[in-house]
Amino acid sequence: AEVPPAKAPPPGVKTKGNLPVMTESELAAQDQAREDCVQECVDSRAMEARGADAITADCRRECEEKIPVSQVEVVPDAPPDIEN
């Protein structure tokens, strides 16, 4: 059954229940994708005559725009079986 989306709180307000829910592995995969993005970006720009820190900072900013770091409610990968 589809769960209707929770009513949105005022802008900027995050409460448990209105956050997007991600499992621990989804969150880890997103973090990994962001890190891979940063690494590829840094590698592709390594020839620039700029400090590695500046390039890394630019890449991290670009990758965080592509794969935003958002506040989420993290749930375990396998929810415990509460039936028994």
Side-chain angles (χ1 to χ4, degrees), residues 1-79:
E2 285 279 347
V3 176
K7 183 174 165 294
V13 175
K14 299 284 190 189
T15 58
K16 190 173 172 71
N18 78 341
L19 293 176
V21 174
M22 292 179 84
T23 63
E24 291 166 356
S25 59
E26 284 171 334
L27 201 58
Q30 192 180 56
D31 287 346
Q32 188 58 56
R34 202 176 302 108
E35 289 308 312
D36 291 347
C37 172
V38 171
Q39 193 56 57
E40 286 169 27
C41 175
V42 169
D43 291 346
S44 73
R45 296 170 69 171
M47 294 296 121
E48 291 180 19
R50 298 168 61 216
D53 289 349
I55 293 173
T56 301
D58 284 352
C59 287
R60 184 161 301 283
R61 204 169 23 257
E62 282 175 29
C63 292
E64 285 177 0
E65 282 173 20
K66 280 187 223 163
I67 309 167
V69 177
S70 55
Q71 190 178 359
V72 296
E73 184 177 334
V74 180
V75 295
D77 288 325

